[in-house]
Amino acid sequence: MSQPTPAPPPAAAIAAAASSEVRSCTPLGSSHAWTLHRGELADGRPFFAKVADGCAEALGSEAAGLRWLAEAPGGAAVPEVLAADEGVLVLELVREHRADAEAAAELGRRLALTHRAGAPSFGASRPGWLATLPLDNTPGERWPEWYARRRLLPYLRDARDRAHLDSEDVALLERVLSRVAALAGPDEPPARIHGDLWGGNVLWGPEGAVLIDPAAHGGHRETDLAMLELFGAPHLDRILAAYHEAYPLAEGRRARVPLHQLHPLLAHVCLFGRSYRTPLLDAARRLL
């Protein structure tokens, strides 16, 4: 019986994907189903790379999302995709810098332009991923129904099946599901959103904020803002104020924040277990 061919070492995999020799490659640990590396290509370009141990298709989806976000005129900065192939994603390295209030305000203005660039529909033409969790990006016409069907319901079932939520928890969230249309506020056109915009996915470079690790799709623009608020971000008040000035938000947004936070909280329950159950249920109760 033939033995499986061993995977190439990370530097070799990165070199093959980038069609370039790798001058240096330093491991940075791991995240979810991939190992992380930084180094330098033969032409001197510094890089950050992910090499999949599994769930390789998620890296291809991430690359497509970064390129799509980069197409938004004047929008928020994202790292350049240097290569994406066979479970390897190679990005330009972002040299991190201290965040300041003006950089935060500029992020708010540029994020508004990303959202204004729009999308053909809610969802996307490609499958999506949130870490190692699949996202159903089947296109839809109206956000409330799409969000309930493609984001909340699949993850609610997953959390129940993993025994992270009990029957009473599920019943509470099903009550919210039945009211999404009434809770969603005024209709909005599909926005070009990052889709996983927690504070850790905002790097502060010397020229301002750079957004990484997207789950990009056509979504509701309030989702990105609610995600920033969920776990916090430097100078969050400046980000939100500058955003609202550039692209005013519909009245009543504050009351809708828990609705947009339900999906990332459900995802955290699925990924990390019952430690995220309490904030999930608290968000649900604030909507009822």
Side-chain angles (χ1 to χ4, degrees), residues 45-91:
R45 286 179 295 172
F47 70 80
F48 171 82
K50 297 180 179 181
V51 179
D53 286 333
C55 203
E57 56 268 44
L59 299 186
S61 179
E62 181 180 338
L66 287 168
R67 289 170 173 146
W68 186 60
L69 292 172
E71 293 172 0
V78 296
E80 180 185 355
V81 177
L82 303 180
D85 183 49
E86 299 295 328
V88 179
L89 177 60
V90 187
L91 306 174

Side-chain angles (χ1 to χ4, degrees), residues 75-138:
V78 296
E80 180 185 355
V81 177
L82 303 180
D85 183 49
E86 299 295 328
V88 179
L89 177 60
V90 187
L91 306 174
E92 73 169 301
L93 182 68
V94 178
R95 304 288 188 185
E96 293 193 63
H97 193 72
R98 183 176 179 179
D100 60 41
E102 182 47 44
E106 182 64 11
L107 171 59
R109 291 187 287 267
R110 295 186 68 174
L111 183 61
L113 291 172
T114 298
H115 289 169
R116 278 191 183 276
S121 65
F122 296 105
S125 60
R126 62 188 180 278
W129 294 85
L130 192 65
T132 54
L133 297 174
L135 288 170
D136 183 352
N137 277 339
T138 302

Side-chain angles (χ1 to χ4, degrees), residues 192-216:
R192 186 171 305 213
I193 73 168
H194 178 282
D196 190 16
L197 196 57
W198 70 288
N201 282 346
V202 181
L203 300 184
W204 300 91
E207 297 182 3
V210 181
L211 309 186
I212 63 169
D213 292 352

Side-chain angles (χ1 to χ4, degrees), residues 219-244:
H220 197 301
R221 62 195 181 107
E222 292 180 9
T223 295
D224 274 351
L225 302 179
M227 188 68 174
L228 277 173
E229 294 183 75
L230 182 56
F231 299 117
H235 305 287
L236 179 61
D237 57 336
R238 294 295 301 274
I239 298 172
L240 296 175
Y243 182 100
H244 184 69

